[in-house]
mmCIF file of all heavy atoms in Angstrom:
data_model
loop_
_atom_site.group_PDB
_atom_site.id
_atom_site.type_symbol
_atom_site.label_atom_id
_atom_site.label_comp_id
_atom_site.label_asym_id
_atom_site.label_seq_id
_atom_site.Cartn_x
_atom_site.Cartn_y
_atom_site.Cartn_z
ATOM 1 N N VAL A 1 -10.087 -12.595 -15.783
ATOM 2 C CA VAL A 1 -10.922 -12.743 -14.608
ATOM 3 C C VAL A 1 -12.237 -13.360 -15.025
ATOM 4 O O VAL A 1 -12.604 -13.332 -16.187
ATOM 5 C CB VAL A 1 -11.170 -11.358 -13.943
ATOM 6 C CG1 VAL A 1 -9.883 -10.770 -13.451
ATOM 7 C CG2 VAL A 1 -11.872 -10.414 -14.912
ATOM 8 N N PRO A 2 -13.009 -13.957 -14.084
ATOM 9 C CA PRO A 2 -14.306 -14.531 -14.436
ATOM 10 C C PRO A 2 -15.227 -13.475 -15.011
ATOM 11 O O PRO A 2 -15.188 -12.301 -14.611
ATOM 12 C CB PRO A 2 -14.841 -15.051 -13.085
ATOM 13 C CG PRO A 2 -13.611 -15.256 -12.270
ATOM 14 C CD PRO A 2 -12.641 -14.197 -12.706
ATOM 15 N N PRO A 3 -16.085 -13.820 -15.970
ATOM 16 C CA PRO A 3 -16.970 -12.832 -16.588
ATOM 17 C C PRO A 3 -17.858 -12.109 -15.590
ATOM 18 O O PRO A 3 -18.178 -10.947 -15.782
ATOM 19 C CB PRO A 3 -17.814 -13.690 -17.553
ATOM 20 C CG PRO A 3 -16.982 -14.896 -17.822
ATOM 21 C CD PRO A 3 -16.204 -15.134 -16.578
ATOM 22 N N GLN A 4 -18.234 -12.780 -14.494
ATOM 23 C CA GLN A 4 -19.113 -12.138 -13.530
ATOM 24 C C GLN A 4 -18.440 -10.984 -12.800
ATOM 25 O O GLN A 4 -19.104 -10.160 -12.203
ATOM 26 C CB GLN A 4 -19.590 -13.163 -12.486
ATOM 27 C CG GLN A 4 -20.549 -14.205 -13.039
ATOM 28 C CD GLN A 4 -19.828 -15.327 -13.728
ATOM 29 O OE1 GLN A 4 -18.599 -15.289 -13.830
ATOM 30 N NE2 GLN A 4 -20.556 -16.320 -14.194
ATOM 31 N N ARG A 5 -17.108 -10.949 -12.858
ATOM 32 C CA ARG A 5 -16.384 -9.891 -12.141
ATOM 33 C C ARG A 5 -15.692 -8.915 -13.091
ATOM 34 O O ARG A 5 -14.944 -8.064 -12.662
ATOM 35 C CB ARG A 5 -15.308 -10.513 -11.235
ATOM 36 C CG ARG A 5 -15.866 -11.553 -10.269
ATOM 37 C CD ARG A 5 -16.695 -10.883 -9.213
ATOM 38 N NE ARG A 5 -17.243 -11.866 -8.303
ATOM 39 C CZ ARG A 5 -18.471 -12.362 -8.406
ATOM 40 N NH1 ARG A 5 -19.258 -11.964 -9.403
ATOM 41 N NH2 ARG A 5 -18.904 -13.260 -7.555
ATOM 42 N N ARG A 6 -15.970 -9.045 -14.388
ATOM 43 C CA ARG A 6 -15.225 -8.247 -15.352
ATOM 44 C C ARG A 6 -15.492 -6.753 -15.188
ATOM 45 O O ARG A 6 -14.596 -5.927 -15.242
ATOM 46 C CB ARG A 6 -15.587 -8.680 -16.773
ATOM 47 C CG ARG A 6 -14.793 -7.994 -17.836
ATOM 48 C CD ARG A 6 -15.144 -8.504 -19.233
ATOM 49 N NE ARG A 6 -16.536 -8.363 -19.505
ATOM 50 C CZ ARG A 6 -17.401 -9.365 -19.579
ATOM 51 N NH1 ARG A 6 -16.994 -10.593 -19.351
ATOM 52 N NH2 ARG A 6 -18.677 -9.181 -19.836
ATOM 53 N N ASP A 7 -16.794 -6.408 -14.975
ATOM 54 C CA ASP A 7 -17.131 -4.998 -14.862
ATOM 55 C C ASP A 7 -16.477 -4.375 -13.630
ATOM 56 O O ASP A 7 -16.022 -3.233 -13.660
ATOM 57 C CB ASP A 7 -18.648 -4.844 -14.798
ATOM 58 C CG ASP A 7 -19.313 -5.284 -16.097
ATOM 59 O OD1 ASP A 7 -18.627 -5.292 -17.128
ATOM 60 O OD2 ASP A 7 -20.511 -5.606 -16.049
ATOM 61 N N GLU A 8 -16.425 -5.120 -12.545
ATOM 62 C CA GLU A 8 -15.792 -4.598 -11.335
ATOM 63 C C GLU A 8 -14.290 -4.429 -11.534
ATOM 64 O O GLU A 8 -13.701 -3.435 -11.093
ATOM 65 C CB GLU A 8 -16.051 -5.547 -10.174
ATOM 66 C CG GLU A 8 -17.522 -5.677 -9.832
ATOM 67 C CD GLU A 8 -17.755 -6.700 -8.741
ATOM 68 O OE1 GLU A 8 -16.754 -7.210 -8.216
ATOM 69 O OE2 GLU A 8 -18.917 -6.970 -8.440
ATOM 70 N N SER A 9 -13.680 -5.376 -12.234
ATOM 71 C CA SER A 9 -12.244 -5.302 -12.455
ATOM 72 C C SER A 9 -11.874 -4.121 -13.334
ATOM 73 O O SER A 9 -10.824 -3.519 -13.189
ATOM 74 C CB SER A 9 -11.749 -6.604 -13.097
ATOM 75 O OG SER A 9 -11.978 -7.689 -12.230
ATOM 76 N N ALA A 10 -12.797 -3.806 -14.274
ATOM 77 C CA ALA A 10 -12.511 -2.703 -15.172
ATOM 78 C C ALA A 10 -12.516 -1.365 -14.443
ATOM 79 O O ALA A 10 -11.823 -0.437 -14.812
ATOM 80 C CB ALA A 10 -13.538 -2.675 -16.306
ATOM 81 N N ARG A 11 -13.319 -1.293 -13.364
ATOM 82 C CA ARG A 11 -13.418 -0.015 -12.651
ATOM 83 C C ARG A 11 -12.352 0.149 -11.583
ATOM 84 O O ARG A 11 -12.051 1.262 -11.163
ATOM 85 C CB ARG A 11 -14.811 0.083 -12.010
ATOM 86 C CG ARG A 11 -15.947 0.232 -13.003
ATOM 87 C CD ARG A 11 -17.227 0.603 -12.272
ATOM 88 N NE ARG A 11 -17.643 -0.443 -11.368
ATOM 89 C CZ ARG A 11 -18.507 -1.392 -11.690
ATOM 90 N NH1 ARG A 11 -19.008 -1.426 -12.901
ATOM 91 N NH2 ARG A 11 -18.858 -2.299 -10.804
ATOM 92 N N ASN A 12 -11.816 -0.951 -11.144
ATOM 93 C CA ASN A 12 -10.854 -0.888 -10.034
ATOM 94 C C ASN A 12 -9.461 -1.257 -10.492
ATOM 95 O O ASN A 12 -9.274 -1.899 -11.516
ATOM 96 C CB ASN A 12 -11.284 -1.844 -8.917
ATOM 97 C CG ASN A 12 -12.661 -1.497 -8.391
ATOM 98 O OD1 ASN A 12 -13.011 -0.335 -8.315
ATOM 99 N ND2 ASN A 12 -13.433 -2.518 -8.037
ATOM 100 N N ASP A 13 -8.486 -0.877 -9.670
ATOM 101 C CA ASP A 13 -7.118 -1.297 -9.939
ATOM 102 C C ASP A 13 -6.979 -2.775 -9.671
ATOM 103 O O ASP A 13 -7.745 -3.370 -8.920
ATOM 104 C CB ASP A 13 -6.129 -0.522 -9.049
ATOM 105 C CG ASP A 13 -6.075 0.938 -9.440
ATOM 106 O OD1 ASP A 13 -6.392 1.242 -10.597
ATOM 107 O OD2 ASP A 13 -5.720 1.758 -8.559
ATOM 108 N N THR A 14 -5.938 -3.351 -10.224
ATOM 109 C CA THR A 14 -5.689 -4.768 -9.986
ATOM 110 C C THR A 14 -5.193 -4.972 -8.567
ATOM 111 O O THR A 14 -4.602 -4.073 -7.967
ATOM 112 C CB THR A 14 -4.627 -5.299 -10.965
ATOM 113 O OG1 THR A 14 -3.407 -4.590 -10.730
ATOM 114 C CG2 THR A 14 -5.066 -5.105 -12.392
ATOM 115 N N PRO A 15 -5.439 -6.171 -7.978
ATOM 116 C CA PRO A 15 -4.964 -6.416 -6.604
ATOM 117 C C PRO A 15 -3.458 -6.289 -6.467
ATOM 118 O O PRO A 15 -2.954 -5.826 -5.454
ATOM 119 C CB PRO A 15 -5.418 -7.851 -6.341
ATOM 120 C CG PRO A 15 -6.572 -8.070 -7.261
ATOM 121 C CD PRO A 15 -6.238 -7.265 -8.486
ATOM 122 N N GLN A 16 -2.706 -6.687 -7.531
ATOM 123 C CA GLN A 16 -1.251 -6.606 -7.445
ATOM 124 C C GLN A 16 -0.795 -5.160 -7.292
ATOM 125 O O GLN A 16 0.107 -4.860 -6.531
ATOM 126 C CB GLN A 16 -0.616 -7.225 -8.688
ATOM 127 C CG GLN A 16 -0.812 -8.732 -8.780
ATOM 128 C CD GLN A 16 -2.147 -9.103 -9.391
ATOM 129 O OE1 GLN A 16 -2.994 -8.244 -9.582
ATOM 130 N NE2 GLN A 16 -2.318 -10.380 -9.686
ATOM 131 N N ARG A 17 -1.448 -4.290 -8.059
ATOM 132 C CA ARG A 17 -1.060 -2.885 -7.969
ATOM 133 C C ARG A 17 -1.391 -2.324 -6.587
ATOM 134 O O ARG A 17 -0.646 -1.555 -6.006
ATOM 135 C CB ARG A 17 -1.785 -2.075 -9.051
ATOM 136 C CG ARG A 17 -1.295 -2.393 -10.473
ATOM 137 C CD ARG A 17 -2.025 -1.544 -11.484
ATOM 138 N NE ARG A 17 -1.562 -1.821 -12.837
ATOM 139 C CZ ARG A 17 -2.092 -1.258 -13.927
ATOM 140 N NH1 ARG A 17 -3.086 -0.396 -13.810
ATOM 141 N NH2 ARG A 17 -1.626 -1.557 -15.117
ATOM 142 N N LYS A 18 -2.571 -2.752 -6.071
ATOM 143 C CA LYS A 18 -2.947 -2.269 -4.755
ATOM 144 C C LYS A 18 -1.979 -2.768 -3.692
ATOM 145 O O LYS A 18 -1.577 -2.035 -2.797
ATOM 146 C CB LYS A 18 -4.373 -2.727 -4.430
ATOM 147 C CG LYS A 18 -5.438 -1.990 -5.227
ATOM 148 C CD LYS A 18 -6.817 -2.431 -4.780
ATOM 149 C CE LYS A 18 -7.887 -1.623 -5.480
ATOM 150 N NZ LYS A 18 -9.238 -2.025 -5.070
ATOM 151 N N ASP A 19 -1.604 -4.036 -3.777
ATOM 152 C CA ASP A 19 -0.677 -4.595 -2.802
ATOM 153 C C ASP A 19 0.675 -3.902 -2.866
ATOM 154 O O ASP A 19 1.301 -3.626 -1.846
ATOM 155 C CB ASP A 19 -0.501 -6.097 -3.047
ATOM 156 C CG ASP A 19 -1.777 -6.866 -2.737
ATOM 157 O OD1 ASP A 19 -2.634 -6.289 -2.030
ATOM 158 O OD2 ASP A 19 -1.908 -8.007 -3.220
ATOM 159 N N ALA A 20 1.140 -3.640 -4.101
ATOM 160 C CA ALA A 20 2.427 -2.974 -4.248
ATOM 161 C C ALA A 20 2.383 -1.574 -3.648
ATOM 162 O O ALA A 20 3.316 -1.125 -2.987
ATOM 163 C CB ALA A 20 2.813 -2.909 -5.730
ATOM 164 N N ALA A 21 1.242 -0.905 -3.891
ATOM 165 C CA ALA A 21 1.122 0.440 -3.335
ATOM 166 C C ALA A 21 1.092 0.400 -1.811
ATOM 167 O O ALA A 21 1.704 1.220 -1.134
ATOM 168 C CB ALA A 21 -0.158 1.111 -3.867
ATOM 169 N N ASN A 22 0.376 -0.610 -1.278
ATOM 170 C CA ASN A 22 0.330 -0.729 0.173
ATOM 171 C C ASN A 22 1.701 -1.059 0.752
ATOM 172 O O ASN A 22 2.078 -0.570 1.812
ATOM 173 C CB ASN A 22 -0.672 -1.819 0.571
ATOM 174 C CG ASN A 22 -2.094 -1.412 0.257
ATOM 175 O OD1 ASN A 22 -2.404 -0.225 0.178
ATOM 176 N ND2 ASN A 22 -2.984 -2.403 0.078
ATOM 177 N N ASP A 23 2.471 -1.938 0.054
ATOM 178 C CA ASP A 23 3.803 -2.296 0.520
ATOM 179 C C ASP A 23 4.714 -1.071 0.551
ATOM 180 O O ASP A 23 5.489 -0.871 1.477
ATOM 181 C CB ASP A 23 4.417 -3.378 -0.375
ATOM 182 C CG ASP A 23 3.703 -4.715 -0.204
ATOM 183 O OD1 ASP A 23 2.977 -4.868 0.794
ATOM 184 O OD2 ASP A 23 3.868 -5.584 -1.083
ATOM 185 N N GLN A 24 4.605 -0.274 -0.528
ATOM 186 C CA GLN A 24 5.427 0.935 -0.571
ATOM 187 C C GLN A 24 5.051 1.887 0.560
ATOM 188 O O GLN A 24 5.910 2.487 1.201
ATOM 189 C CB GLN A 24 5.271 1.630 -1.923
ATOM 190 C CG GLN A 24 5.889 0.841 -3.081
ATOM 191 C CD GLN A 24 5.674 1.546 -4.392
ATOM 192 O OE1 GLN A 24 5.044 2.597 -4.439
ATOM 193 N NE2 GLN A 24 6.188 0.974 -5.467
ATOM 194 N N ALA A 25 3.746 1.996 0.805
ATOM 195 C CA ALA A 25 3.303 2.893 1.872
ATOM 196 C C ALA A 25 3.775 2.395 3.226
ATOM 197 O O ALA A 25 4.223 3.165 4.076
ATOM 198 C CB ALA A 25 1.771 3.009 1.855
ATOM 199 N N ASP A 26 3.658 1.062 3.444
ATOM 200 C CA ASP A 26 4.122 0.501 4.716
ATOM 201 C C ASP A 26 5.619 0.689 4.896
ATOM 202 O O ASP A 26 6.089 0.978 5.989
ATOM 203 C CB ASP A 26 3.783 -0.996 4.780
ATOM 204 C CG ASP A 26 2.283 -1.231 4.847
ATOM 205 O OD1 ASP A 26 1.565 -0.267 5.199
ATOM 206 O OD2 ASP A 26 1.850 -2.364 4.537
ATOM 207 N N SER A 27 6.365 0.512 3.784
ATOM 208 C CA SER A 27 7.816 0.684 3.869
ATOM 209 C C SER A 27 8.174 2.120 4.217
ATOM 210 O O SER A 27 9.046 2.391 5.042
ATOM 211 C CB SER A 27 8.465 0.273 2.542
ATOM 212 O OG SER A 27 9.852 0.513 2.580
ATOM 213 N N GLY A 28 7.476 3.056 3.575
ATOM 214 C CA GLY A 28 7.752 4.463 3.864
ATOM 215 C C GLY A 28 7.388 4.825 5.287
ATOM 216 O O GLY A 28 8.110 5.545 5.981
ATOM 217 N N ASN A 29 6.252 4.275 5.759
ATOM 218 C CA ASN A 29 5.848 4.555 7.134
ATOM 219 C C ASN A 29 6.836 3.977 8.127
ATOM 220 O O ASN A 29 7.114 4.550 9.174
ATOM 221 C CB ASN A 29 4.459 3.967 7.392
ATOM 222 C CG ASN A 29 3.385 4.684 6.598
ATOM 223 O OD1 ASN A 29 3.567 5.836 6.211
ATOM 224 N ND2 ASN A 29 2.264 3.999 6.345
ATOM 225 N N SER A 30 7.376 2.764 7.793
ATOM 226 C CA SER A 30 8.342 2.134 8.699
ATOM 227 C C SER A 30 9.614 2.956 8.807
ATOM 228 O O SER A 30 10.167 3.151 9.879
ATOM 229 C CB SER A 30 8.651 0.713 8.200
ATOM 230 O OG SER A 30 9.600 0.111 9.027
ATOM 231 N N LYS A 31 10.098 3.459 7.676
ATOM 232 C CA LYS A 31 11.309 4.284 7.696
ATOM 233 C C LYS A 31 11.076 5.558 8.501
ATOM 234 O O LYS A 31 11.897 5.963 9.317
ATOM 235 C CB LYS A 31 11.733 4.627 6.266
ATOM 236 C CG LYS A 31 12.250 3.425 5.480
ATOM 237 C CD LYS A 31 12.659 3.832 4.077
ATOM 238 C CE LYS A 31 13.194 2.654 3.280
ATOM 239 N NZ LYS A 31 13.570 3.052 1.905
ATOM 240 N N ASN A 32 9.920 6.208 8.241
ATOM 241 C CA ASN A 32 9.629 7.443 8.961
ATOM 242 C C ASN A 32 9.510 7.177 10.452
ATOM 243 O O ASN A 32 9.932 7.982 11.285
ATOM 244 C CB ASN A 32 8.332 8.059 8.434
ATOM 245 C CG ASN A 32 8.479 8.517 6.992
ATOM 246 O OD1 ASN A 32 9.591 8.804 6.545
ATOM 247 N ND2 ASN A 32 7.362 8.601 6.262
ATOM 248 N N SER A 33 8.899 5.995 10.788
ATOM 249 C CA SER A 33 8.751 5.665 12.208
ATOM 250 C C SER A 33 10.112 5.463 12.863
ATOM 251 O O SER A 33 10.348 5.909 13.987
ATOM 252 C CB SER A 33 7.891 4.412 12.360
ATOM 253 O OG SER A 33 7.796 4.055 13.712
ATOM 254 N N GLY A 34 11.061 4.792 12.155
ATOM 255 C CA GLY A 34 12.386 4.563 12.712
ATOM 256 C C GLY A 34 13.137 5.857 12.928
ATOM 257 O O GLY A 34 13.809 6.052 13.951
ATOM 258 N N GLN A 35 13.038 6.766 11.950
ATOM 259 C CA GLN A 35 13.712 8.057 12.087
ATOM 260 C C GLN A 35 13.130 8.852 13.246
ATOM 261 O O GLN A 35 13.848 9.519 14.000
ATOM 262 C CB GLN A 35 13.582 8.836 10.784
ATOM 263 C CG GLN A 35 14.346 8.197 9.619
ATOM 264 C CD GLN A 35 14.084 8.932 8.324
ATOM 265 O OE1 GLN A 35 13.291 9.869 8.290
ATOM 266 N NE2 GLN A 35 14.762 8.501 7.248
ATOM 267 N N GLN A 36 11.783 8.746 13.408
ATOM 268 C CA GLN A 36 11.154 9.499 14.484
ATOM 269 C C GLN A 36 11.579 8.965 15.843
ATOM 270 O O GLN A 36 11.810 9.723 16.792
ATOM 271 C CB GLN A 36 9.622 9.412 14.335
ATOM 272 C CG GLN A 36 8.847 10.225 15.362
ATOM 273 C CD GLN A 36 9.108 11.712 15.210
ATOM 274 O OE1 GLN A 36 9.279 12.203 14.093
ATOM 275 N NE2 GLN A 36 9.170 12.432 16.315
ATOM 276 N N ASP A 37 11.668 7.589 15.961
ATOM 277 C CA ASP A 37 12.101 6.994 17.232
ATOM 278 C C ASP A 37 13.518 7.410 17.588
ATOM 279 O O ASP A 37 13.839 7.702 18.754
ATOM 280 C CB ASP A 37 12.015 5.468 17.146
ATOM 281 C CG ASP A 37 10.584 4.983 17.059
ATOM 282 O OD1 ASP A 37 9.669 5.773 17.418
ATOM 283 O OD2 ASP A 37 10.372 3.842 16.624
ATOM 284 N N GLN A 38 14.389 7.436 16.571
ATOM 285 C CA GLN A 38 15.776 7.841 16.838
ATOM 286 C C GLN A 38 15.832 9.288 17.286
ATOM 287 O O GLN A 38 16.595 9.651 18.198
ATOM 288 C CB GLN A 38 16.611 7.625 15.575
ATOM 289 C CG GLN A 38 18.099 7.923 15.774
ATOM 290 C CD GLN A 38 18.900 7.649 14.520
ATOM 291 O OE1 GLN A 38 18.341 7.284 13.501
ATOM 292 N NE2 GLN A 38 20.197 7.855 14.590
ATOM 293 N N GLN A 39 15.033 10.139 16.638
ATOM 294 C CA GLN A 39 15.023 11.550 17.011
ATOM 295 C C GLN A 39 14.498 11.725 18.428
ATOM 296 O O GLN A 39 15.006 12.541 19.204
ATOM 297 C CB GLN A 39 14.139 12.329 16.025
ATOM 298 C CG GLN A 39 14.124 13.844 16.252
ATOM 299 C CD GLN A 39 15.491 14.454 15.943
ATOM 300 O OE1 GLN A 39 16.229 13.942 15.105
ATOM 301 N NE2 GLN A 39 15.821 15.554 16.619
ATOM 302 N N ASP A 40 13.451 10.877 18.778
ATOM 303 C CA ASP A 40 12.888 10.987 20.122
ATOM 304 C C ASP A 40 13.900 10.586 21.176
ATOM 305 O O ASP A 40 13.971 11.177 22.262
ATOM 306 C CB ASP A 40 11.635 10.124 20.231
ATOM 307 C CG ASP A 40 10.499 10.664 19.393
ATOM 308 O OD1 ASP A 40 10.554 11.861 19.041
ATOM 309 O OD2 ASP A 40 9.568 9.884 19.092
ATOM 310 N N GLN A 41 14.711 9.545 20.875
ATOM 311 C CA GLN A 41 15.714 9.094 21.830
ATOM 312 C C GLN A 41 16.780 10.169 22.059
ATOM 313 O O GLN A 41 17.266 10.367 23.174
ATOM 314 C CB GLN A 41 16.371 7.803 21.335
ATOM 315 C CG GLN A 41 15.452 6.597 21.384
ATOM 316 C CD GLN A 41 16.147 5.343 20.873
ATOM 317 O OE1 GLN A 41 17.335 5.404 20.533
ATOM 318 N NE2 GLN A 41 15.421 4.240 20.825
ATOM 319 N N GLN A 42 17.149 10.864 21.019
ATOM 320 C CA GLN A 42 18.156 11.916 21.164
ATOM 321 C C GLN A 42 17.615 13.090 21.975
ATOM 322 O O GLN A 42 18.336 13.727 22.730
ATOM 323 C CB GLN A 42 18.623 12.385 19.780
ATOM 324 C CG GLN A 42 19.384 11.316 19.014
ATOM 325 C CD GLN A 42 19.768 11.785 17.622
ATOM 326 O OE1 GLN A 42 19.393 12.878 17.207
ATOM 327 N NE2 GLN A 42 20.525 10.960 16.888
ATOM 328 N N ASN A 43 16.304 13.350 21.799
ATOM 329 C CA ASN A 43 15.723 14.500 22.477
ATOM 330 C C ASN A 43 15.310 14.187 23.909
ATOM 331 O O ASN A 43 15.122 15.075 24.720
ATOM 332 C CB ASN A 43 14.511 15.005 21.704
ATOM 333 C CG ASN A 43 14.911 15.565 20.333
ATOM 334 O OD1 ASN A 43 16.054 15.978 20.163
ATOM 335 N ND2 ASN A 43 13.972 15.588 19.384
#
């Protein structure tokens, strides 16, 4: 990374890791949302 941003990068996670974590969270939320909709339709 550019030297001007090195200290910030050292303190934070990398963007790739953050994106992957967000993708996993979105995927989990989507599955839970689908299961909830199906349960609501049955009820």
Side-chain angles (χ1 to χ4, degrees):
V1 296
Q4 291 82 357
R5 305 289 179 263
R6 185 177 57 251
D7 295 338
E8 297 176 5
S9 298
R11 291 192 296 266
N12 301 324
D13 292 336
T14 62
Q16 292 84 350
R17 291 181 179 176
K18 288 184 175 180
D19 292 342
N22 292 335
D23 291 344
Q24 291 178 358
D26 293 341
S27 176
N29 292 337
S30 178
K31 291 180 179 179
N32 294 335
S33 177
Q35 293 175 357
Q36 183 64 35
D37 292 342
Q38 184 178 2
Q39 184 67 29
D40 292 341
Q41 290 180 2
Q42 293 177 356
N43 294 336

